[in-house]
Amino acid sequence: MAIMLGMLTVFYAIVIYILYATQRNEKPSFTEYSVGGRSYGPWFVAMSYVNSWWPGAVFIAFFGIAAGAGVFAFYGLAYSSLGVAMMYFMATRAWRWGARHNLRSQPDLLEMRFDSRAVKVIASLIGVISLFPWVVLGMQALGQLFEVASEGRWSLTTALMVGLAVIVIRQFWTVKMGMRGLIMTDVFQGVVAYVFAAAVCLFMLSGFGGSPISFSTLASLPEQMLRVPGDGDGYGFLYLFSLIFTGVIGSLCWPTSFQRIYTASGVRAVKSGTIRTVLLSGVFYSLLMLLAMAAAVLPGVADAPQNGWFTLMEQYGGTWMLGLAVTMVFAASMGHIDGSVQVCGLQIANDIIRSEKRPLSDAKLTLVAKSSMAVFMAAAALVAYLTFDMARLQLLAQISYQGIVQLAVPLFLGIFWRGGNKYGAISGMSVGFLTAVAFTWFYPDDIAGLGSLTGGVVALGINLVVYLVVSAVTGISKAERERVDALFVEAAQPTAVAVPTVTV
């Protein structure tokens, strides 16, 4: 217990030291606070993106899926790689519009494209509501992590309270420094969580150090672990497609992902960062899933796949290796929660509170963002405590994922197509989100009568139809068409922004 808690303490102290050493004395503008002054190079962008994408749950839930169900778990690699790759193609227009119009968030871009505050507010609400359950789940994962680190001597309630206290203290720096406070630690946290984990997986699969499993173990997996849903079981033929399709679309709709575009120093930094993200994610996730599948043959892992990562690490290297495994999950969890809280605070202040009737100075915007983060964190902490033993909390996470993809229609069509208007965007998002919530509540997994399509995919189709029909019926004025034409013309022209570049 002392060894594992000591390793967590050392890791935590290094994170705090990085934050303390990189903080700035001068008062930041809101652009500096919200997007780090658009000054970061490709490695910062990549590590920040990876931290916001892979939560600590990847070592628990996804590891458990791979250890229990086999190759099905690789659907996560498929949608992550495709989704992040799409960011490459969005980078030019999104970044240039962001730099020219001082955009700070995804809803900012939607407001500019459709010239509508209502579009911005609805998009921001969908983003904040959809992220909230993930912060709750992240905090609960921290509680489970500290239960393992205490070797079961702490009760679940005690472990949860310690986890909450640790992340609340960490959030002091996120609230104080804004995006800079995230990005400056994302590199260190990412190295510990994903680079170290990939190295450990590779060592074990190579049979290094007396590993109980290796690549050769994969050859002896039972046949059922090589099948995917829809291949002779109770799921329809569209189930796997729905999961991957929703993941690809959702990866570009999460506010945490999209904001990485605005922290970059230029289009080249976004695209280079995207390529690095795909490589980092692909190597890390592939090795982790292969390790989990190989570990499925071990009795301890087979009995409890969700705890398989910790069980395997302890069998491999004893207490020290288990301590490293716990630290990796801690690093991933902290990075994901940090990113979610920061972007939600930003959107509440910038997109929901601020308006033409309620203009706010940079100082007041920053104050509102800080206050919003604190309230968001407190609410998430309270819900995490009250719902720790709730059996169907995972349903909220599923609903949030099916809900966030409803931003895709106005976002993608708005960036790449000059058609459509604000009435179509407002109607489509509203109908799509409410439909997704209703479908996912009654069919939390799949809709058997529709070939196992998920509720979010069905709602997305309805969203698209509503967007096109309402836009066609309400039409586009000459002035609006000329405004949108001008936006697309300026997106084709390079933009120079005078900012200090942090290149790694």
Side-chain angles (χ1 to χ4, degrees), residues 328-342:
M328 292 171 185
V329 179
F330 184 44
S333 298
M334 193 157 61
H336 189 265
I337 293 174
D338 286 346
S340 299
V341 171
Q342 199 277 344

Side-chain angles (χ1 to χ4, degrees), residues 185-248:
T185 55
D186 277 345
V187 174
F188 173 66
Q189 291 172 181
V191 168
V192 172
Y194 313 109
V195 178
F196 282 10
V200 169
C201 292
L202 184 60
F203 285 154
M204 293 190 69
L205 288 169
S206 301
F208 181 81
S211 170
I213 55 175
S214 67
F215 280 114
S216 61
T217 311
L218 295 169
S220 59
L221 292 177
E223 184 180 350
Q224 62 267 25
M225 291 192 69
L226 305 179
R227 293 179 176 176
V228 296
D231 186 14
D233 56 15
Y235 287 104
F237 69 103
L238 291 175
Y239 184 67
L240 190 58
F241 159 78
S242 294
L243 293 181
I244 295 176
F245 180 74
T246 306
V248 171

Side-chain angles (χ1 to χ4, degrees), residues 350-427:
N350 185 67
D351 307 333
I352 300 174
I353 303 297
R354 186 174 70 108
S355 68
E356 289 186 1
K357 296 180 180 178
R358 196 169 41 245
L360 299 175
S361 64
D362 272 12
K364 288 185 177 178
L365 262 179
T366 304
L367 177 61
V368 173
K370 290 179 176 178
S371 303
S372 301
M373 289 179 205
V375 172
F376 189 86
M377 272 291 299
L382 178 63
V383 174
Y385 179 77
L386 294 176
T387 61
F388 194 81
D389 294 323
M390 179 178 169
R392 302 198 73 190
L393 185 63
Q394 185 63 31
L395 178 60
L396 295 179
Q398 293 176 19
I399 291 174
S400 73
Y401 218 99
Q402 306 299 342
I404 195 68
V405 299
Q406 305 310 319
L407 296 178
V409 173
L411 183 63
F412 297 162
L413 293 184
I415 290 177
F416 294 110
W417 183 47
R418 304 185 190 200
N421 62 23
K422 61 183 179 183
Y423 303 110
I426 293 170
S427 304

